[in-house]
Amino acid sequence: MAQQGSIITDEMKKQIGVKGVPTVLEVEKGLIRMMAEALDDPNPLWQDEEYAEKSKYGGIIAPPALLCCARAGTGRGVQMKSPFPRALAGGDEVEYLKPLKAGDVITSVSHIAEYNEREGKRGPMLFTTIETTYKNQRDEVVAISRSTFISY
Amino acid sequence: MTEGSAITDELRSMIGMATEPVIMEVERGAIRRYADAIGDPNPLFSDVEYARNSRYGEVICPPGFFGWPLKRGGMMELLGTIGGALFRAGVPRILDGGVDYEFFLPIRAGDILTSHGKFADFREREGRTGKMLFITMETTYLNQNGDLVAKARSTLIAL
Amino acid sequence: MAKKQLYYEDVEVGTEVTPLAKVATTQMLVKWAGGSGDFNPLHFEDSFAASQGVDSPIVHGALKRAWLGHLMTDWIGDGGFLKKLACQYRGMDYPRKMKTITDPQEGETWWCRGTVTKKYVEDDQHIVECDIWVENAKGEKTTPGSATVVLPFKKAKS
């Protein structure tokens, strides 16, 4: 869609697929506890060692919320450009492939997957979708997220 | 204002009351988040490679890492008990009077600390607005080898 | 604390996901900022929020997604697995302010809800898809989305 007046410049297009800086996150029990507290989620799989050991996971696991956030490096290092001053999170989609266990070391890498533009009520809007892949210490992909940011 | 003696007897009988021991695993991420929150870029707190090559061999805790010791390890419950006696002593309002830390050994990421809290002492003083009690709560931290690594003495002012 | 396990056979298209009530408070937003590492002032500073065109600091979209994760992990129990979670941040939500150190002021309560839209077996996995959403006190779906889960199958146990 390179029609005239497009807000998506060639420079922006060049950023599609360019990988950002990898982020390493140690999935520590303290961080899991912090997330569970923030969510007000008392699930014993997140905090109760004895309980979690007897579960099918064999130990503490992290709530799904731990991935797809700044802490997990989502969006780190991608060159997100927009001609507009205001930005909002538009939505997220996270696919979980493996449980996230306490002690895992997750490396995430993000890139811009696509741009879309649309005419909104308050004028033109740019949708930028960032895809992030999360791998554990065994190089297994544990999750993939797609986050859409709206600027207008 | 009631007579002081009987009430201070009640408080005196509470000296030494202790919490259950609480176990705390010191994690790198928690240290990093703390250092980031106070704006301290010292690599000993956040750079694993750097810390490994230092004399500590591992990331260590910044001094304030324990936060407010009264928040943790059952101290609030213990204070609730003491609070009853303070109320009966006619000094129901409690102010934070500060914390003194003493450090004995470096605390490294990976250490497993056990904290013991207790009501250590109190003393009485006549202030401008009447009776004031200075309450000292003490928390000791031992590492996995049983060595004393730190001690915190928190002062509360009851008036 | 072990909950009753939900099985594939227990759900049909139209089955309701057990709803979950949530109260967003300014305190919860602080905790979420620390946990998630999202320190965007849009979520804690009035004047910055105003510059971004919202009335006052808003609830993080990702926090509402996290609530939906809580909704699903509670529902599917220890034996289930959350495969996919997606949502769109359609409406703004504003946290309650605090009344005391621990308790919020009176105000809005949000509900996380869902219904089963599809169930099928694929690659030996018993899969259930749901429409899910966060709704505000007015009943508006501010955060609609979907979830795909794998549930255990009773017959497989015998």
Side-chain angles (χ1 to χ4, degrees):
Chain A
M1 281 245 296
Q3 83 235 42
Q4 202 157 19
S6 172
I7 48 180
I8 302 161
T9 62
D10 287 344
E11 192 199 347
M12 282 162 67
K13 278 187 207 145
K14 265 190 223 147
Q15 290 299 327
I16 293 177
V18 175
K19 297 221 181 328
V21 189
T23 300
V24 177
L25 176 73
E26 295 178 40
V27 181
E28 295 172 332
K29 284 179 268 186
L31 177 62
I32 294 177
R33 203 180 315 122
M34 230 175 134
M35 293 301 260
E37 268 173 35
L39 294 178
D40 218 353
D41 181 348
N43 192 329
L45 283 176
W46 319 146
Q47 299 196 54
D48 184 334
E49 306 235 12
E50 255 175 69
Y51 179 94
E53 259 163 39
K54 286 186 214 131
S55 76
K56 68 168 176 174
Y57 300 107
I60 301 262
I61 57 166
L66 190 59
L67 294 183
C68 195
C69 62
R71 186 72 67 204
T74 308
R76 176 82 51 89
V78 300
Q79 298 299 315
M80 209 162 73
K81 291 231 166 59
S82 166
F84 307 123
R86 294 197 281 235
L88 287 174
D92 293 305
E93 183 183 304
V94 193
E95 198 179 338
Y96 299 94
L97 304 165
K98 301 248 173 220
L100 193 57
K101 296 185 177 183
D104 277 358
V105 179
I106 302 297
T107 303
S108 65
V109 181
S110 298
H111 66 266
I112 292 171
E114 59 175 328
Y115 299 105
N116 287 290
E117 55 190 312
R118 202 191 291 169
E119 197 61 29
K121 264 179 291 181
R122 294 196 256 185
M125 299 163 83
L126 173 69
F127 292 73
T128 307
T129 302
I130 290 177
E131 190 172 292
T132 307
T133 304
Y134 310 85
K135 285 184 180 174
N136 65 17
Q137 63 279 20
R138 289 178 294 277
D139 212 32
E140 299 163 334
V141 176
V142 293
I144 298 166
S145 69
R146 287 169 67 86
S147 306
T148 302
F149 295 89
I150 305 170
S151 58
Y152 60 99
Chain B
M1 183 79 47
T2 44
E3 272 308 305
S5 59
I7 290 123
T8 47
D9 277 352
E10 185 192 3
L11 261 183
R12 197 165 287 124
S13 74
M14 289 180 171
I15 290 177
M17 274 178 80
T19 63
E20 294 288 319
V22 175
I23 293 175
M24 176 175 151
E25 293 180 39
V26 180
E27 295 175 323
R28 283 180 190 159
I31 297 174
R32 202 177 307 123
R33 285 193 297 277
Y34 181 86
D36 185 42
I38 63 169
D40 185 339
N42 189 331
L44 278 177
F45 306 143
S46 53
D47 185 333
V48 178
E49 274 311 300
Y50 179 92
R52 271 198 186 133
N53 295 317
S54 76
R55 67 188 173 112
Y56 299 109
E58 174 54 90
V59 168
I60 58 167
C61 294
F65 178 70
F66 292 114
W68 196 43
L70 299 180
K71 174 84 197 298
R72 296 188 186 204
M75 280 302 231
M76 279 296 178
E77 290 73 13
L78 183 55
L79 280 173
T81 309
I82 297 166
L86 294 172
F87 184 79
R88 285 185 288 279
V91 285
R93 289 185 301 137
I94 297 178
L95 299 176
D96 185 356
V99 185
D100 289 348
Y101 279 109
E102 207 176 339
F103 300 101
F104 303 97
L105 289 171
I107 301 162
R108 297 175 173 85
D111 279 359
I112 297 171
L113 304 185
T114 306
S115 73
H116 299 262
K118 69 172 186 189
F119 172 31
D121 202 4
F122 75 96
R123 64 196 158 80
E124 203 173 330
R125 220 168 73 185
E126 207 61 38
R128 264 179 306 158
T129 52
K131 187 160 61 174
M132 295 168 82
L133 292 185
F134 288 75
I135 312 290
T136 305
M137 306 295 290
E138 190 177 278
T139 308
T140 52
Y141 302 88
L142 305 178
N143 66 15
Q144 61 276 24
N145 306 318
D147 297 325
L148 178 67
V149 294
K151 197 185 264 189
R153 288 168 70 83
S154 314
T155 303
L156 294 169
I157 304 165
L159 70 177
Chain C
M1 183 118 190
K3 280 170 297 213
K4 197 174 148 274
Q5 179 59 49
L6 182 77
Y7 290 94
Y8 184 71
E9 292 93 326
D10 297 333
V11 307
E12 296 303 333
V13 170
T15 298
E16 189 189 22
V17 176
T18 310
L20 176 72
K22 286 287 181 187
V23 173
T25 62
T26 48
Q27 185 178 62
M28 186 184 255
L29 266 52
V30 171
K31 290 184 185 175
W32 175 256
S36 70
D38 181 350
F39 299 111
N40 185 339
L42 177 62
H43 306 293
F44 57 81
E45 197 175 88
D46 290 342
S47 54
F48 184 81
S51 78
Q52 296 295 299
V54 296
D55 303 334
S56 62
I58 57 170
V59 179
H60 303 76
L63 175 56
K64 294 187 280 182
R65 171 166 45 83
W67 289 352
L68 291 171
H70 183 184
L71 171 80
M72 295 312 291
T73 50
D74 266 9
W75 189 59
I76 64 179
D78 299 358
F81 184 69
L82 176 65
K83 258 173 86 77
K84 201 168 181 180
L85 185 69
C87 61
Q88 293 103 46
Y89 309 124
R90 292 267 176 82
M92 309 285 179
D93 289 294
Y94 298 90
R96 287 199 212 174
K97 295 208 160 64
M98 299 301 289
K99 184 171 68 186
T100 67
I101 291 176
T102 50
D103 297 318
Q105 291 176 2
E106 295 298 311
E108 196 166 10
T109 297
W110 288 260
W111 281 92
C112 304
R113 299 183 190 278
T115 51
V116 173
T117 53
K118 222 172 168 184
K119 61 180 279 190
Y120 52 93
V121 180
E122 191 179 274
D123 299 334
D124 279 343
Q125 289 190 318
H126 293 80
I127 295 174
V128 172
E129 292 183 6
C130 303
D131 275 346
I132 53 173
W133 64 91
V134 177
E135 67 183 42
N136 64 17
K138 288 185 205 144
E140 295 159 343
K141 296 179 183 179
T142 61
T143 315
S146 62
T148 306
V149 300
V150 183
L151 288 180
F153 186 59
K154 273 180 200 163
K155 293 250 175 63
K157 289 199 300 183
S158 52

